[in-house]
Structures are given as C-alpha cells and as structure tokens.
Amino acid sequence: ADPRRRLSSVDVLDEAELARLDRWGNRAVLTVPTPASAPASVPALFAAQAARAPEAVALVCGDHSWSYREVDEAANRLAHMLAGHRVGPGERVALLFNRSAEAIVAILAVMKAGAAYLPIDPAVPDARIEFMLADAAPIAAVTTADLVERFDGYDVIVVDAGDPAVQRQPSTPLAGPAPDDLAHIVYTSGTTGVPKGVAVTQRNVTQLFDSLQIGIPLTPAQVWTQFHSYAFDFSVWEIWAALLGG
C-alpha cells in the first residue's frame, strides 16, 4: 500500500491486543489523581504515631522492649549528637549494626537529623565496606563498640551509639527532613557487576504505605518481624509499615 513507509512505523498489534496490554500494564493508574494530603517524612509520621500512643510498645528485642516515646526520645538524642558533627540535609551517615533495636533507633536518628542513612551489614567483607564508604562518601558513621574498629583508617567521624555522651543530649526533636530529602542509600548486591547505591527520598518511603494491602487489616495488636538484613531494601517495608502504623 505504501512501499516508502518505514517498517518502524508499522504496529504489529491490533487494537484488541493493544487494549489487553494496557490492562496488563495497569496503565489506568496513570490517570488516578494524586492524593490531596501533603507528603510527609518518616520522622514526621513516626512523631505523629508516638504522640497518639506514646506508651505503646514500639520495639521488642530479646528480653527488652521500647515504647514509642522511648524510641522517639532516644532517636532525638542521637540526632542531636549527629547534628553536632555537622550532619544534616544532603549528608549521608553510614550505619554498621547487627540486628537490634539500637539499629532501628539509629536509622530514625539519622533521618531526624535530616540526612540519609547508609546501612552496612557487618557480615560483608572489608573490601565491600571500603567500596561503599568511598562511593557514598558519608560524613559520619554510627556503630557499636564491638564494631567500631571496622572504620579504622577511614576519614569519617565515628559515633558509638552506646557512648554516655549521647544520653546527655536533648530529647527534643530537630527540624527534620523535607519530603524530597534523601531517606537512605541501599546498595545492590553487585551480582551483575559493580554494586550500585539506590537513593530513595523520604516521600518515596512514606508513599509505600499509602495503599498498603497485605490481605488483613493493619492494627496495633499485630507484631511484625524485622526479618531481613537492614541493608536489604525489603527491610524498609518491614520496619516502617509496622512502626508508622502503630
């Protein structure tokens, strides 16, 4: 019919097939209006939950439990300590923790200071830590006394989460991050090449839970596990879907 027509302009699918692809690809979601509510940060939503139920249990690890108020105040004190080391929006803070309640408090503290946290699993080899510190260039690191030596030789401020000086900091909140500030940088495994740091904003984290449906109602009576390594992106869903939902 038109021998001069470019092959690339010829669609090999008919209208019914194109409509089926639209349904499969959920293209209709592109026309859904954006929620009218203002976007918020993780610290802002956590503070709101802590205000609603300050004495409710937020974390349990071993024989110890922490209320929302205790977690909030502990994170505020560590955030003030970090702010004293010039940690703020636009900065990154490395975290090196075994699975623990202190690790959750440290994550929240970094975000309360306005910075993005860089989670590092202690199980990774030294070469991996060296790569991540060079690539992400954190201004500071938070860890525990038994792991602090793994930052020896690096040009980074190291804060021991158990330092008594942290307990002397104010328990009042800092200004906190904006919705478009970075929340975290989680690195891929590197199985297909060099590991890549994926930077995610506060807005993107909180929007994970806007339409969360897991088949059962989310209620304060539930208990969630932080099962995955906090250096794996699925941990973000595990931690904050629970804590921000009560």
Side-chain angles (χ1 to χ4, degrees):
D2 185 357
R4 294 168 298 180
R5 183 177 177 183
R6 297 185 64 84
L7 286 175
S8 60
S9 70
V10 179
D11 200 328
V12 298
L13 303 178
D14 61 27
E15 290 187 6
E17 291 170 321
L18 290 171
R20 190 179 308 128
L21 286 179
D22 278 349
R23 291 196 302 275
W24 288 347
N26 195 26
R27 192 182 298 271
V29 77
L30 298 177
T31 62
V32 175
T34 302
S37 58
S41 67
V42 170
L45 293 182
F46 183 85
Q49 177 59 35
R52 284 192 294 270
E55 301 309 319
V57 175
L59 294 174
V60 175
C61 186
D63 296 329
H64 296 85
S65 66
W66 288 259
S67 68
Y68 273 89
R69 176 183 55 78
E70 289 171 328
V71 171
D72 195 45
E73 291 179 353
N76 286 340
R77 285 190 287 268
L78 182 53
H80 277 281
M81 186 80 167
L82 292 171
H85 292 298
R86 305 190 310 279
V87 171
E91 299 293 350
R92 283 79 58 204
V93 176
L95 300 182
L96 186 67
F97 283 88
N98 290 304
R99 201 187 318 266
S100 61
E102 288 77 13
I104 308 299
V105 170
I107 290 173
L108 181 57
V110 171
M111 290 195 286
K112 279 176 171 284
Y117 73 93
L118 170 68
I120 303 175
D121 193 319
V124 301
D126 291 340
R128 172 81 173 209
I129 294 178
E130 181 179 9
F131 167 76
M132 294 172 70
L133 294 179
D135 192 57
I139 189 175
V142 184
T143 188
T144 54
D146 58 322
L147 294 171
V148 69
E149 64 181 16
R150 299 198 68 180
F151 289 108
D152 288 350
Y154 296 108
D155 185 20
V156 61
I157 299 165
V158 181
V159 175
D160 178 358
D163 187 338
V166 175
Q167 299 303 315
R168 296 193 291 270
Q169 299 297 313
S171 61
T172 52
L174 296 171
D180 288 321
D181 286 337
L182 289 185
H184 61 73
I185 301 176
V186 172
Y187 274 77
T188 62
S189 63
T191 52
T192 58
V194 176
K196 292 165 282 293
V198 181
V200 177
T201 65
Q202 294 282 339
R203 181 197 306 270
N204 286 136
V205 173
T206 58
Q207 286 181 347
L208 278 173
F209 317 116
D210 284 347
S211 58
L212 182 62
Q213 296 180 4
I214 61 172
I216 57 174
L218 301 178
T219 67
Q222 294 173 357
V223 178
W224 288 41
T225 60
Q226 194 243 304
F227 178 78
H228 294 82
S229 165
Y230 78 141
F232 179 47
D233 59 356
F234 194 81
S235 68
V236 176
W237 190 87
E238 290 178 327
I239 295 168
W240 300 113
L243 288 178
L244 299 185

